[in-house]
Amino acid sequence: ILTDRAVDSEDDSLYESFIGSDFVLEGERAGDWLVENAEEADVDGDGDVNVVQLEGTTGAAPAIDRAEGFAETIASDDSIEVTASQTGDFTRDGGKRVMESFLNSEDGIDVVYAHNDDMGLGAIEAIEAAGLTPGEDIKIITVDAVKDGMQALADGKINFIVECNPLLGPQLMDLAAKVVAGEEVEPRVVTEETTFTQEQAAEVLPDRQY
């Protein structure tokens, strides 16, 4: 049984099942929210939604897939455009540094799409240092839903988070038990994940496990 990452092989007899997140779907969910809230996201009211993207580590599956899913989804709305995209290596410092660069080089940034919460939290620091209000002057979409990110969402500094749930142990053990018992299992099992708005984050935050 493969967990969290797949293998680059056409031979599916090498494993019974692969359980993990669908990173493309995560990107699509981020894009769906932006398409649905495009008018609100057009902060400067010029009719265009200018997005800067904080990419994960170059070559990493989550970074590639989250960018792909997001791009495919926002393509349905001509007003939304990714005007700059650069890796922040999935780190808070990286997100802050790249966001500082974007604020200096890009005009009319409406939205930040960060491939994880840490880079989004770094972007918040850069936005605040520039005298702007994250969540209002610049909308922020992130992926993961770790406790610090969820707190920022509940506080209104992040606008939307797509969950990437690391707590797949129970699902994995159910799958293992079925394989050992000789039962048929799906070759691809997607981790149970959701999305969060500000109100939803505030509601679940007290019981957050990670």
Side-chain angles (χ1 to χ4, degrees), residues 35 38 51-52 71 84 117 145 194-195:
V35 169
V51 183
V52 293
D117 291 343
T194 185
T195 60

Side-chain angles (χ1 to χ4, degrees), residues 43-44 50 52 99 102-103 106-112 137-138:
V43 177
D44 53 17
N50 295 325
V52 293
M99 191 65 208
F102 286 158
L103 287 165
E106 299 294 317
D107 292 327
I109 298 172
D110 295 303
V111 177
V112 174
D137 296 327
I138 297 178

